[in-house]
Amino acid sequence: MATTELTGAEDVAWDLSDLYESGDDPRLEADVGEAEDAAEAFRERYYEKVSTLSAQELADAIDEQERIESILTRAIYYAHLWFSTDMADSERGALVARLTEKGAALDTQLLFFGLEIADLDDAAADALLVAPELERWHHWIRSLRKFRPYLLSEAEEKIFTEKSVSGVSAWGRLFEELLGAIKVPLDGEEVGFEEAISKLYSGDREVRRTAADAITEGLEPGLRTRAYVFNTILVDKSIDDRLRGYETWISSRNLRNDTTDEAVQALIDAAVSRYGVVQRYYKLKARLLGLDRLAYYDRMAPLADDPSKVSWDEAREIVLGAYSDFSTETGDIVERFFDESWIDAPVRENKRTGAFCATTVPGVHPYVFMNYTGDRRSILTLAHELGHGLHGYLTIPLGLFNADTPLTTAETASVFGEALTFKRLLALEEDPRKRLNLLAGRIEDSIATVFRQISMNRFEDAVHTERRNQGELSLERFEECWLETQQSLFADSVDTDGYGSWWSYIPHFIGTPGYVYAYAYGFLFALAIFRRYELEGDSMVEPYLEILRLGGSKPPEELARIVGLDLTDPGIWESGIDALVEELDAAEALAREIGIGVGS
Ligand SMILES: [Zn+2]
């Protein structure tokens, strides 16, 4: 393993003992056993009886189901978190596998309950939905019933769930392991994927080009296997959708996201029609870098070379300051993540790549996972994941079911927290060149979150549609679809030669098909709220926190109304993109002011 520069994050490891002491903590086994027993008793008590329950009895039953699922979810979360910091440890992998099986078995036991609720005739359901005893579960019941037209018989659903262990989730796990094993041959050593990717942020074009070539080389082993896994996921999804009667490959995702095919199409059309913004920025960037045209590996290059690393302590101060300035309450909550070891920060051998926040740990605070490298992106990633952490923390009182947010609102607090932190970073910087650099970084993040995700959605759309209409895709076809959708985004502003295999390291395509547009949806939604906060100031703090506290207990449309936004207004998507254009105007003005890249 290559030596990584020290950031002070090396010892910032999380303490998972709020979940369990260790993988062989007897409490873990006891919990699993209790969940299994309770699930069996639950089935005995309620199977084929849901339609006979009174409102109060149904409320009690839902409470009990939530309790059972919370117990096992806690164990499963522990296993995943424990595994993510050392993926080479077979004991940890085995626990994940075993608990995944237990989880599927439990889901199988409890499956009938949701199906029977979904199966209630409308008159009976309407009567229950006005009963005060069930008020807490209104949205949950409605959400269950919206899948009604797409559910199969219990026997069929049972086979689906049980076979998923050896089917779709096994393929997902294989893909994750293949990604985790990727080593990049760089400068005579083998480095991890994260570290190689971070070289694309270097100010030295040769370093970026070398890193990009090395990444392409590192992606090569297993590429055909990963393409095969992707093909399998594509066909699996097409079978699911056909049997269930979903209209398009994305329809089930949209329904799950509490949104509609029409709203998502409006978002996609809005973004695709504004691809020109991206091209305008990349042309400005080429001028600023003194290049004729950007190559794909130049997109993340800093405008002013800044090799300095931000220490963990400094990052903590910046991020914490941003959250504290917003409100004392948010500052206090975020501070606990640092003080009480709820974060795992350093880059470590055999650690999973990327960053995430485990927000739905029933009855326990969330945990934040990341690979802190000390660059600007790392600070904003920290701010991002802590936004999720804040959101998850505020929804603990809601319990497992109501805290769970659809993907469309899951990114609200993370994007908002990033925006707050960005403002602080900009305010702390006086050097105009560095300000331009920061602004450019912000624009690039917006491009990555909105336009890149939409272009990746176009890639997914292409391959899912092609798999359905023409059959299995060759590796070459994946590359063609990838390059076509990326070139449509960049037009002539970026050279994509050599970029063909880079679709193959994006886990969302495999683990959560259709996921990526939710970033754009959530980002533009959060940005709309943030702009309102900038406009109206502190009077927006409480309404915003109210949105977070409601978790997933209300549909996004209702949440948006709390801050006076109408999600059915297509202007929502446009206004977020207009914000990006304003930043681009500001960056161009700043470039003119300091006299770089002018008139060339
Ligand atoms: Zn996120």
Side-chain angles (χ1 to χ4, degrees):
M1 178 127 197
T3 46
T4 308
E5 279 180 68
L6 296 181
T7 60
E10 290 71 29
D11 299 321
V12 182
W14 58 26
D15 173 7
L16 295 179
S17 67
D18 289 336
L19 292 167
Y20 296 101
E21 289 301 333
S22 67
D24 47 22
D25 185 338
R27 280 191 307 137
L28 195 153
E29 282 315 310
D31 278 355
V32 172
E34 189 192 335
E36 284 177 329
D37 292 347
E40 212 180 307
F42 184 90
R43 191 180 169 87
E44 258 166 48
R45 182 158 172 203
Y46 295 112
Y47 183 65
E48 289 187 334
K49 295 196 187 79
V50 173
S51 64
T52 68
L53 299 178
S54 70
Q56 184 57 54
E57 287 166 336
L58 183 59
D60 292 343
I62 299 172
D63 286 343
E64 174 63 1
Q65 194 198 15
E66 183 183 50
R67 189 186 74 85
I68 298 168
E69 287 193 17
S70 296
I71 297 171
L72 198 68
T73 300
R74 183 176 171 139
I76 291 173
Y77 264 90
Y78 176 81
H80 278 283
L81 296 181
W82 192 46
F83 180 54
S84 64
T85 53
D86 186 358
M87 297 180 64
D89 182 343
S90 57
E91 193 193 338
R92 300 180 186 208
L95 184 67
V96 169
R98 193 163 65 81
L99 291 187
T100 303
E101 277 171 39
K102 296 274 188 199
L106 191 102
D107 285 349
T108 307
Q109 284 265 17
L110 300 179
L111 202 58
F112 76 92
F113 188 62
L115 291 173
E116 287 185 34
I117 292 176
D119 224 33
L120 294 171
D121 64 57
D122 288 338
D126 289 346
L128 289 168
L129 283 170
V130 295
E133 295 91 332
L134 279 163
E135 202 193 335
R136 180 167 173 242
W137 298 119
H138 279 184
H139 182 60
W140 188 79
I141 292 173
R142 279 209 189 88
S143 298
L144 260 182
R145 290 175 58 81
K146 77 187 174 187
F147 290 100
R148 200 172 173 205
Y150 311 102
L151 292 174
L152 305 173
S153 71
E154 198 207 343
E156 290 166 310
E157 290 291 344
K158 200 170 160 179
I159 295 170
F160 255 97
T161 308
E162 291 218 41
K163 293 289 278 182
S164 80
V165 175
S166 58
V168 70
S169 63
W171 290 105
R173 163 107 184 263
L174 172 63
F175 193 84
E176 259 191 48
E177 291 196 4
L178 290 169
L179 285 190
I182 289 176
K183 295 279 181 227
V184 179
L186 197 59
D187 302 329
E189 316 182 58
E190 298 220 303
V191 303
F193 198 72
E194 286 287 317
E195 191 167 342
I197 286 279
S198 77
K199 302 275 185 217
L200 298 178
Y201 293 82
S202 164
D204 182 338
R205 192 174 204 213
E206 212 32 57
V207 171
R208 297 195 299 272
R209 195 206 318 259
T210 309
D213 289 346
I215 288 166
T216 299
E217 204 185 324
L219 287 174
E220 187 58 40
L223 187 53
R224 279 184 193 278
T225 312
R226 297 203 298 287
Y228 181 77
V229 173
F230 198 7
N231 263 307
T232 308
I233 297 286
L234 294 176
V235 74
D236 183 85
K237 183 153 192 350
S238 76
I239 295 167
D240 274 23
D241 287 348
R242 174 169 51 78
L243 293 176
R244 294 183 182 284
Y246 284 109
E247 205 141 318
T248 72
W249 74 273
I250 196 80
S251 300
S252 63
R253 173 65 51 203
N254 295 343
L255 196 65
R256 209 167 286 279
N257 283 347
D258 251 342
T259 185
T260 59
D261 289 2
E262 292 72 24
V264 173
Q265 196 56 49
L267 162 71
I268 288 166
D269 291 345
V272 171
S273 75
R274 305 289 289 276
Y275 274 0
V277 178
V278 178
Q279 294 149 23
R280 187 181 142 205
Y281 173 72
Y282 283 141
K283 285 177 181 173
L284 167 69
K285 181 157 186 172
R287 291 202 302 277
L288 294 172
L289 291 172
L291 301 171
D292 290 336
R293 179 155 83 126
L294 296 189
Y296 69 94
Y297 51 77
D298 294 321
R299 288 170 302 145
M300 278 78 83
L303 294 179
D305 193 14
D306 187 5
S308 62
K309 296 276 175 185
V310 177
S311 73
W312 175 254
D313 285 346
E314 249 177 291
R316 172 196 158 116
E317 199 178 311
I318 292 164
V319 174
L320 194 51
Y323 278 99
S324 301
D325 270 6
F326 178 72
S327 90
T328 321
E329 184 183 359
T330 53
D332 289 349
I333 293 168
V334 166
E335 191 164 20
R336 295 191 65 185
F337 281 80
F338 291 98
D339 290 350
E340 297 177 40
S341 301
W342 300 350
I343 306 174
D344 198 84
V347 178
R348 239 188 261 117
E349 196 169 4
N350 298 321
K351 184 170 163 173
R352 192 183 146 162
T353 58
F356 66 83
C357 176
T359 42
T360 321
V361 186
V364 182
H365 59 81
Y367 281 97
V368 163
F369 172 99
M370 72 176 301
N371 285 273
Y372 186 79
T373 54
D375 53 21
R376 185 196 58 87
R377 177 99 287 282
S378 262
I379 302 173
L380 292 173
T381 299
L382 176 63
H384 181 103
E385 299 308 334
L386 283 168
H388 285 305
L390 169 71
H391 202 172
Y393 183 92
L394 289 171
T395 57
I396 291 173
L398 292 177
L400 183 67
F401 291 168
N402 280 327
D404 193 24
T405 45
L407 295 176
T408 37
T409 52
E411 296 296 332
T412 309
S414 54
V415 170
F416 199 95
E418 259 194 85
L420 286 172
T421 304
F422 172 73
K423 274 194 68 171
R424 193 170 183 86
L425 277 170
L426 195 64
L428 289 169
E429 188 54 71
E430 282 169 11
D431 181 336
R433 279 167 195 270
K434 287 190 178 171
R435 287 177 64 84
L436 174 58
N437 200 20
L438 274 174
L439 216 40
R442 173 73 180 159
I443 295 167
E444 286 172 22
D445 287 347
S446 306
I447 289 174
T449 311
V450 176
F451 292 99
R452 176 170 157 82
Q453 306 304 326
I454 295 298
S455 75
M456 293 203 296
N457 165 278
R458 296 295 79 202
F459 168 68
E460 281 191 290
D461 184 70
V463 297
H464 278 279
T465 306
E466 188 159 324
R467 182 63 189 82
R468 283 162 198 230
N469 299 336
Q470 279 126 1
E472 192 159 294
L473 283 82
S474 65
L475 176 58
E476 292 67 31
R477 258 318 274 163
F478 278 118
E479 299 202 352
E480 277 167 23
C481 289
W482 174 248
L483 287 175
E484 273 166 24
T485 51
Q486 296 308 296
Q487 278 156 359
S488 142
L489 172 64
F490 301 137
D492 59 348
S493 67
V494 175
D495 182 354
T496 53
D497 193 27
Y499 193 46
S501 64
W502 287 45
W503 61 269
S504 74
Y505 74 87
I506 296 167
H508 289 332
F509 293 154
I510 307 301
T512 329
Y515 183 96
V516 292
Y517 82 76
Y519 281 116
Y521 191 117
F523 184 86
L524 294 176
F525 173 56
L527 214 60
I529 304 172
F530 187 75
R531 277 163 84 77
R532 202 146 274 210
Y533 162 66
E534 286 198 300
L535 207 67
E536 294 172 26
D538 287 347
S539 67
M540 287 297 292
V541 170
E542 264 316 304
Y544 170 66
L545 291 178
E546 177 63 13
I547 289 182
L548 300 190
R549 280 192 199 96
L550 285 166
S553 68
K554 297 264 188 294
E557 281 81 359
E558 254 179 75
L559 295 178
R561 274 199 290 274
I562 295 172
V563 286
L565 296 173
D566 176 9
L567 281 190
T568 62
D569 176 3
I572 289 271
W573 314 122
E574 289 283 338
S575 82
I577 296 170
D578 290 341
L580 174 61
V581 174
E582 278 171 28
E583 286 165 348
L584 181 50
D585 290 341
E588 280 180 339
L590 207 45
R592 272 195 303 275
E593 186 192 317
I594 54 183
I596 43 174
V598 185
S600 54

